[in-house]
């Protein structure tokens, strides 16, 4: 079946020029930190790789703030739940950066069951001249010590140290799909398929359940939680999306258990659009607040929608992501979770699609462009050429026909720099970083 | 006729996916299985409501009754005829591997496959083809919708 086919394709794709892809290298999440200086990626093998933006230097004008590897560490290992005889995957589902409060950086990373808080520190000085220890650290023979010296700090090569500071375990029965740090910088929430828990960043042995949609009888299950996020400014508000396509805004001041929503955002289904797979394509794969907190961005199978928090009846904007005529298309992944990226200026929306394409929508001009993230189609520092997917009949030279779209190559994870027009696109095991050199790139 | 074939194909693929999800790493993914079950339910309803005469698909004789969903209670004489018809249709649907998959599949998400979720006795599947507005899957049996089945049916393959 699908996933297995993908695995087999990936494991057996022995290609030249280092294109051999191991499953563990598949990037599963991408996240910029709050300044955009650091970019963290998580992969299926449980590793986190952090990239740092190089400061622009006059000596090398071409390397205008490019990203280089800063640190790599193993965040999660595969585990085994003996009670249920289940293996727990080490794949990193989400990474969220904490706001920086001192010289160190902190991030939360989670797999299906356990959330970990990692602290990233730099060390570029080393004390030398100890009285009791020699250079290798061995204790000196005291009889050889004739005078006292004050140890001095000498510069050394930069060393990045990463250490796990907290492990938030055993909070979830189902698979964790999202985490979100509160604007109060003290609490965060983690959501699995049926429940959402509230944690304090300093307390690991306790968490509070704030949403529980598990039915008394599991056979009555019709809906699961697909994503959730705290409001960027109001520490009492959060939203969660469901597989039925609805968004629920909850206020933690109203009750300890927020099963009753404060607002329900749902677009009524157009009966004429009803199809065999209606329920599946309406499932929301991700929800994000805009930076202002006034709007929400959601992604379902075929569209990206912008919702105004003040209007529950329907989205204010809808953008079609798939090829124009969905009838002639054969989608092969139904629960593909595309994660849209809210941009700093809130005027352009980006989301991933199939065939390593990603789409950008300009909300002001209503124009959109399809771009491709692949080694073959773009050289480093070259300007991306827009791609066109044609449906049926007329086909221009460089067009891709909808039937030749590769549905195993999907861009699920994208991230936008918080301040500049820099985007990070994860395509299978490759990370692409694009910068906007000229403002009029959208055409 | 083609709808029946497609629906049958979708049902067997869906069951295969549900079975595979039980053996894959990381345990059962609730969201994915829920959506596959919804597809399964819709496909089953399309299959059973197709007015074409049933297509006999070769399968091992003497398929154990346990593999079929439990038949209605004996205290339903009116549904006798329908019962037979329904069992025949179900046998047609059960090729060897599908029968095995159903028995392995067990009762997971059977609430979605039952007519009335949340309790209530099992009702004859033949009755489902009546106009039951409460069942959303019924809308899928409209002709214009069914015309779109073929392109979409490949959606399930690489799920």
């Amino acid at each position: 079946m699908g996933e297995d086919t993908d695995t087999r394709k990936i494991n057996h794709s022995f290609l030249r020029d280092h294109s051999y892809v191991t499953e563990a290298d598949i990037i599963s999440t991408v996240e910029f930190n709050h300044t955009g200086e650091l970019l963290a990626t998580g992969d299926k093998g449980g590793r986190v790789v952090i990239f740092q933006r190089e400061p622009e230097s006059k000596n090398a004008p071409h390397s205008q703030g490019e990203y280089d590897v800063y640190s790599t560490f193993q965040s999660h290992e595969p585990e085994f739940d003996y009670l249920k005889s289940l293996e727990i995957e080490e794949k990193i589902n989400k990474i969220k950066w904490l706001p920086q409060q001192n010289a160190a950086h902190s991030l939360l990373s989670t797999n299906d069951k356990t959330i970990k808080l990692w602290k990233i520190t730099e060390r570029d000085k080393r004390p030398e001249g100890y009285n009791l220890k020699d250079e290798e650290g061995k204790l000196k023979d005291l009889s050889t010590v004739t005078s006292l010296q004050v140890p001095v700090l000498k510069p050394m090569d930069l060393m990045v140290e990463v250490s796990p500071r907290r492990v938030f375990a055993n909070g979830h029965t189902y698979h964790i799909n999202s985490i979100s740090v509160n604007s109060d910088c003290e609490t965060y929430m983690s959501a699995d398929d049926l429940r959402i828990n509230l944690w304090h960043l300093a307390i690991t042995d306790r968490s509070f359940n704030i949403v529980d949609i598990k039915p008394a009888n599991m056979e009555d299950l019709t809906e699961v939680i697909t994503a959730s996020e705290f409001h960027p400014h109001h520490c009492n508000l959060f939203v969660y999306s469901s597989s039925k396509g609805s968004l629920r805004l909850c206020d933690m001041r109203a009750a300890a258990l927020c099963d009753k929503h404060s607002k329900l955002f749902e677009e009524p289904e157009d009966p004429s659009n009803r199809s065999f797979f209606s329920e599946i394509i309406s499932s929301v794969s991700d929800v994000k607040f805009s930076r202002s907190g006034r709007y929400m961005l959601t992604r379902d199978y075929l569209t990206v929608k912008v919702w105004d928090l003040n209007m529950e009846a329907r989205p204010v904007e809808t953008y079609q992501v798939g090829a124009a005529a969905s009838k002639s298309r054969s989608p092969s992944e139904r629960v593909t979770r595309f994660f849209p990226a809210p941009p700093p200026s809130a005027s352009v929306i980006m989301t991933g699609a199939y065939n390593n394409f990603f789409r950008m929508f300009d909300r002001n001009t209503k124009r959109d462009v399809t771009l491709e993230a692949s080694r073959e189609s773009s050289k480093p520092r070259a300007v991306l050429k827009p791609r066109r997917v044609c449906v049926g009949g007329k086909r221009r030279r460089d067009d891709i026909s909808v039937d030749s779209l590769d549905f195993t190559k999907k861009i699920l994870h994208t991230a936008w720099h918080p301040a500049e027009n820099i985007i990070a696109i994860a395509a299978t095991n490759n990370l692409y970083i694009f910068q906007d050199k000229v403002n009029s790139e959208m055409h | 006729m083609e709808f029946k074939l497609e629906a049958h194909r979708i049902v067997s693929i869906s069951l295969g996916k549900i079975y595979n999800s039980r053996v894959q790493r990381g345990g059962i993914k609730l969201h994915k299985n829920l959506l596959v079950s919804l597809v399964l339910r819709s496909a089953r309803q399309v299959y059973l409501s197709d007015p074409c005469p049933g297509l006999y698909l070769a399968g091992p004789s003497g398929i154990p009754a346990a593999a079929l969903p439990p038949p209605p209670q004996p205290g339903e004489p009116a549904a006798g005829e329908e019962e037979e018809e329904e069992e025949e249709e179900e046998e047609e649907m059960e090729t060897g591997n599908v029968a095995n998959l159903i028995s392995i599949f067990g009762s997971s998400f059977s609430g979605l496959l039952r007519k009335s979720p949340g309790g209530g006795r099992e009702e004859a599947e033949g009755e489902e083809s009546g106009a039951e507005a409460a069942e959303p899957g019924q809308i899928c049996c409209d002709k214009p919708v069914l015309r779109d089945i073929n392109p979409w049916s490949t959606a399930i393959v690489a799920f």
Side-chain angles (χ1 to χ4, degrees), chain A residues 17-52:
Chain A
D17 74 319
H18 314 292
S19 299
Y20 174 67
V21 180
T22 49
E23 204 180 329
D25 293 333
I26 297 171
I27 298 171
S28 50
T29 186
V30 184
E31 190 80 11
F32 278 100
N33 76 339
H34 297 281
T35 60
E37 184 209 349
L38 297 174
L39 174 64
T41 62
D43 65 21
K44 253 188 153 183
R47 287 169 305 219
V48 172
V49 180
I50 302 176
F51 298 85
Q52 185 186 42

Side-chain angles (χ1 to χ4, degrees), chain B residues 122-147:
Chain B
E122 295 280 353
E123 299 187 40
E125 289 176 41
E127 290 176 37
E128 283 186 35
S129 48
E132 295 291 340
E135 199 63 71
Q138 291 308 306
I139 306 171
C140 299
C141 303
D142 292 341
K143 273 278 180 278
V145 171
L146 289 175
R147 255 183 253 126

Side-chain angles (χ1 to χ4, degrees), chain A residues 146-393:
Chain A
T146 51
S147 62
L148 282 177
Q149 57 183 347
V150 177
V152 290
L153 289 173
K154 295 251 174 83
M156 60 178 259
D157 290 337
L158 179 69
M159 200 163 70
V160 179
E161 295 173 333
V162 183
S163 60
R165 301 306 283 233
R166 306 264 191 277
V167 177
F168 304 91
N170 303 320
H172 290 275
T173 308
Y174 301 95
H175 298 305
I176 297 174
N177 52 51
S178 46
I179 49 176
S180 176
V181 184
N182 203 343
S183 51
D184 64 10
C185 302
E186 283 188 358
T187 56
Y188 77 95
M189 69 168 165
S190 56
D192 65 25
D193 291 318
L194 296 175
R195 299 190 177 103
I196 302 180
N197 291 339
L198 183 71
W199 304 80
H200 191 285
L201 284 165
I203 299 169
T204 58
D205 62 353
R206 203 178 318 170
S207 84
F208 293 93
N209 176 238
I210 52 176
V211 172
D212 189 341
I213 63 167
K214 184 179 177 195
N217 186 355
M218 272 301 274
E219 292 185 346
D220 300 335
L221 180 73
T222 54
E223 195 175 15
V224 297
I225 296 169
T226 52
S228 70
E229 199 184 39
F230 267 119
H231 191 280
H233 308 305
H234 302 298
C235 57
N236 54 298
L237 289 179
F238 66 93
V239 69
Y240 69 90
S241 59
S242 82
S243 56
K244 276 191 176 169
S246 63
L247 302 170
R248 284 174 173 79
L249 187 74
C250 300
D251 190 333
M252 293 197 290
R253 297 172 301 185
L257 193 60
C258 300
D259 278 358
K260 268 190 78 171
H261 54 264
S262 296
K263 288 198 181 187
L264 173 65
F265 299 84
E266 204 168 27
E267 188 170 20
E269 195 185 3
D270 184 358
S272 63
N273 281 342
R274 176 96 197 151
S275 84
F276 195 69
F277 290 87
S278 279
E279 283 134 348
I280 292 125
I281 59 179
S282 60
S283 173
V284 173
S285 57
D286 198 24
V287 62
K288 282 197 154 66
F289 277 103
S290 69
R291 306 189 93 213
S292 63
R294 165 90 189 259
Y295 298 98
M296 292 184 296
L297 197 67
T298 61
R299 175 71 156 103
D300 54 46
Y301 192 66
L302 295 174
T303 66
V304 175
K305 291 176 180 164
V306 179
W307 300 80
D308 186 327
L309 247 65
N310 300 326
M311 187 162 80
E312 298 167 68
R314 62 184 172 280
V316 289
E317 292 163 29
T318 302
Y319 300 92
Q320 301 295 327
V321 182
S326 58
K327 281 182 196 165
S328 58
R329 173 188 176 199
S330 358
S332 63
E333 267 278 344
R334 288 175 298 129
V335 191
T336 302
R337 302 188 55 179
F338 295 103
F339 298 91
S345 64
S347 63
V348 181
I349 295 169
M350 166 179 66
T351 189
Y354 289 114
N355 209 81
N356 282 354
F357 286 171
F358 60 100
R359 308 256 289 150
M360 298 179 81
F361 305 93
D362 187 324
R363 295 174 65 204
N364 297 328
T365 63
K366 301 297 177 204
R367 284 195 289 207
D368 63 84
V369 69
T370 303
L371 301 164
E372 184 177 2
S374 77
R375 270 191 251 243
E376 293 81 33
S377 70
S378 54
K379 299 200 178 87
R381 301 190 193 91
V383 174
L384 278 184
K385 207 176 56 155
R387 308 306 304 267
R388 243 175 60 102
V389 178
C390 72
V391 180

Side-chain angles (χ1 to χ4, degrees), chain A residues 14 46 67 80 83 111 143-144 160 189 215 254 291 297 374 379 403 424 427 431:
Chain A
F14 292 98
Y67 285 83
F80 196 78
L83 200 61
N111 68 349
S143 57
T144 62
V160 179
M189 69 168 165
R291 306 189 93 213
L297 197 67
S374 77
K379 299 200 178 87
D403 297 314
L431 182 71

